[in-house]
Amino acid sequence: MSDAAEPTGNGNGATPVKAKAGRHRDATLYQALAGAGAGDGRSLGELREAALKAFEAAELPVWRRSGFWTTSLESLDLDALRTSVSEQGVPEIVTRTVPERPRAGRIVQSAGAIVQVELDPALAERGVILSSLEEAFERHPELVSEWFSRRLPIDRHKLEAANAAFWTGGVFLHVPDGLIVEDPFELIYAIAEPGIAQYGRTLIVGGRASEFKVHEYDLAEDFGDDAQALHAGAFELYLKDGARCRLAQLQDWGTRNKVFDVSTRFVGVGRDAYCHWLPALLGGHLVRQHLELAVSEPGGDMAFRGLFFAEEREHLDVFAADLHETGPSGGDVHWRGAASGESRASFEGLIQIDPGAQQTHTYLQIHSMMLSPKARIDAIPSVLVSSDDVSASHGGTVGELDEAAIFYMQTRGLDRPSAVRIIVEGFFEPLISELGDEPLEELVREKIAAKLAAAREDIETYATSR
């Protein structure tokens, strides 16, 4: 980071530091976290200090998988990035993009600062807390300290350590026991200008028998030049006994921007709790996401859904783990993706059933569609089972546009571009409809339609040539 990017300190032990230059290190990180995190009783200052040491010692990683897939941060100039923006306030991309609708609360972070916090007063009176994570450490240490970094490490690679050492602002949401909230909580991370390093840190705790919805938006203004930006995120959600949460994430950093996104996300499901998690990954120069959903107590259940669309020269690398640490438990993982232009997309899904997680029942499927001769998608489902009384299976497909389906729709009066658009939109629709929220569903549909329109000529040429 440049001198302008260095944190000035927030009372929590953050220390200014220059990024260490040097060669990049190969890292084998395509595995579940599957264990305790850094939150082992140390204070926030002690955790920051340990993360800083890890950051200084580490080099930017290169992820490799079986010799055929490489995700490299070699082109990221970390020293040139800063953590503050020229003008504070809610970025226009937020008001242009996020649907206007009833909501339980909203919190917006731009670069390293929280710029908006809203919470329904009636919910505040009933004990809901929605605040910056920094404020939560000061005002509610008994709630935060127990859960912060409980399952997230801080030293697997340089950007993970950077997040743990340098985050400011951050998001904390606590829904108390037994409370049912109908409207969603909106968490928004926005990059308003190039040259930004944004270290997003989110902690959510759902109390016993609570029920709520969370919508996260990751957005960037269209600055469209060669300048870079970075979002290094860490997200953790813990559901206590009997809690239920519908979690949705819409990520679109923009195709023309050079936004790097390296994030780790963990969801822990308690006894008889349930989580429906659906990320929609729709844009970014280079995106590396580690997504892990763990059933940690008997009776836990989950639905892990997701979709992605890579275009032009984007690079997307997703590792999604369905982890069962005990049984009985249930799971259902279903992802769909597409790639156009010269983009590269890789999805690796893992079912991991630990010893003793008997009577676990789960299934993983990934379906993907190539829309260009130069696009590439790798779909890799896998199962790692260490218990014998379980059912676990997986499947994956990578396909192209079905010429017979296009012809059929043309015989019903559609022109070829319309037929192609409807087929691709229909491919994603089973997952979009699972969002269970009409304004968010429409926004995802609009973004996919815009991507199809931008790649229309390329898709047409490819479909016609086969």
Side-chain angles (χ1 to χ4, degrees):
M1 297 182 293
S2 67
D3 291 339
E6 295 167 358
T8 58
N10 58 11
N12 294 320
T15 304
V17 67
K18 293 285 285 184
K20 178 183 177 182
R23 67 177 183 84
H24 292 228
R25 177 178 61 87
D26 286 357
T28 304
L29 297 176
Y30 292 94
Q31 56 188 4
L33 300 174
D40 52 6
R42 287 177 288 180
S43 69
L44 179 58
E46 290 171 330
L47 289 174
R48 286 194 187 275
E49 183 178 356
L52 177 60
K53 291 179 180 178
F55 172 81
E56 292 175 325
E59 296 155 351
L60 288 172
V62 176
W63 291 277
R64 300 188 191 276
R65 183 194 292 116
S66 303
F68 66 88
W69 179 265
T70 300
T71 295
S72 172
L73 299 175
E74 187 173 4
S75 62
L76 175 63
D77 187 359
L78 194 57
D79 286 341
L81 303 180
R82 63 189 189 282
T83 58
S84 60
V85 294
S86 54
E87 294 184 9
Q88 293 289 355
V90 177
E92 292 184 6
I93 186 66
V94 175
T95 55
R96 291 201 312 269
T97 304
V98 180
E100 277 300 324
R101 44 86 55 72
R103 55 180 179 260
R106 170 186 282 187
I107 186 165
V108 181
Q109 176 155 343
S110 176
I114 296 295
V115 295
Q116 181 184 24
V117 181
E118 297 177 356
L119 177 61
D120 184 336
L123 293 177
E125 290 181 1
R126 300 185 67 181
V128 173
I129 300 170
L130 178 64
S131 71
S132 76
L133 188 53
E134 287 180 303
E135 180 183 336
F137 263 107
E138 295 174 0
R139 300 183 61 183
H140 309 284
E142 73 288 351
L143 289 176
V144 180
S145 298
E146 177 183 356
W147 299 98
F148 180 76
S149 209
R150 186 170 184 161
R151 296 292 299 267
L152 289 183
I154 60 175
D155 57 1
R156 294 188 311 157
H157 59 77
K158 193 176 189 73
L159 292 186
E160 184 175 76
N163 176 284
F166 305 135
W167 71 266
T168 53
V171 172
F172 178 69
L173 171 64
H174 176 259
V175 181
D177 295 352
L179 185 62
I180 298 175
V181 183
E182 295 293 336
D183 294 323
F185 296 95
E186 295 179 350
L187 321 179
I188 304 172
Y189 287 97
I191 297 176
E193 57 191 53
I196 294 298
Q198 178 170 260
Y199 298 108
R201 191 87 193 194
T202 301
L203 172 60
I204 302 173
V205 181
R208 292 177 177 83
S210 63
E211 188 170 340
F212 60 101
K213 304 172 185 175
V214 175
H215 294 174
E216 178 178 329
Y217 297 87
D218 302 321
L219 306 168
E221 294 284 4
D222 186 8
F223 40 83
D225 55 25
D226 289 334
Q228 298 179 344
L230 168 69
H231 177 85
F235 176 101
E236 46 193 332
L237 164 63
Y238 301 99
L239 298 177
K240 296 183 181 180
D241 298 352
R244 300 179 66 86
C245 177
R246 294 186 66 91
L247 171 62
Q249 173 201 1
L250 187 148
Q251 176 224 62
D252 186 1
W253 298 117
T255 301
R256 298 178 61 229
N257 299 331
K258 287 192 174 180
V259 177
F260 294 73
D261 180 346
V262 179
S263 299
T264 301
R265 299 172 177 271
F266 178 88
V267 174
V269 178
R271 182 182 296 269
D272 299 322
Y274 173 79
C275 184
H276 183 287
W277 183 9
L278 199 160
L281 308 178
L282 299 178
H285 175 69
L286 183 148
V287 176
R288 156 72 186 179
Q289 294 265 336
H290 178 118
L291 311 173
E292 186 164 328
L293 202 162
V295 178
S296 305
E297 299 289 343
D301 196 6
M302 62 84 165
F304 196 178
R305 306 291 192 254
L307 58 91
F308 61 84
F309 197 132
E311 59 182 320
E312 296 188 9
R313 294 179 177 272
E314 293 177 337
H315 181 102
L316 173 66
D317 184 353
V318 180
F319 175 70
D322 166 15
L323 174 62
H324 296 262
E325 299 176 318
T326 187
S329 64
D332 187 8
V333 184
H334 182 181
W335 279 68
R336 296 193 175 206
S340 63
E342 299 180 37
S343 62
R344 298 288 183 267
S346 174
F347 174 90
E348 181 174 344
L350 169 67
I351 293 173
Q352 180 170 322
I353 302 176
D354 287 349
Q358 306 292 3
Q359 299 181 33
T360 290
H361 304 280
T362 186
Y363 177 62
L364 183 155
Q365 57 181 313
I366 166 66
H367 304 289
S368 48
M369 180 180 295
M370 289 189 297
L371 301 175
S372 163
K374 295 183 179 180
R376 174 177 170 178
I377 297 180
D378 294 305
I380 310 166
S382 57
V383 174
L384 179 61
V385 177
S386 301
S387 297
D388 53 11
D389 183 13
V390 302
S391 63
S393 57
H394 62 76
T397 62
V398 178
E400 301 170 336
L401 286 168
D402 185 346
E403 194 62 37
I406 296 174
F407 175 75
Y408 173 81
M409 298 183 75
Q410 287 181 292
T411 65
R412 295 300 185 266
L414 293 175
D415 59 22
R416 187 177 182 88
S418 298
V420 169
R421 176 180 57 81
I422 290 173
I423 289 171
V424 178
E425 290 177 350
F427 171 74
F428 285 109
E429 188 58 31
L431 294 184
I432 295 175
S433 63
E434 285 203 31
L435 286 166
D437 183 273
E438 186 174 348
L440 183 55
E441 290 174 16
E442 286 303 312
L443 178 58
V444 173
R445 291 187 186 106
E446 290 172 6
K447 286 188 171 293
I448 289 176
K451 290 177 179 296
L452 290 172
R456 173 177 171 178
E457 184 176 342
D458 194 24
I459 296 171
E460 285 277 311
T461 301
Y462 184 42
T464 305
S465 66
R466 291 185 298 108

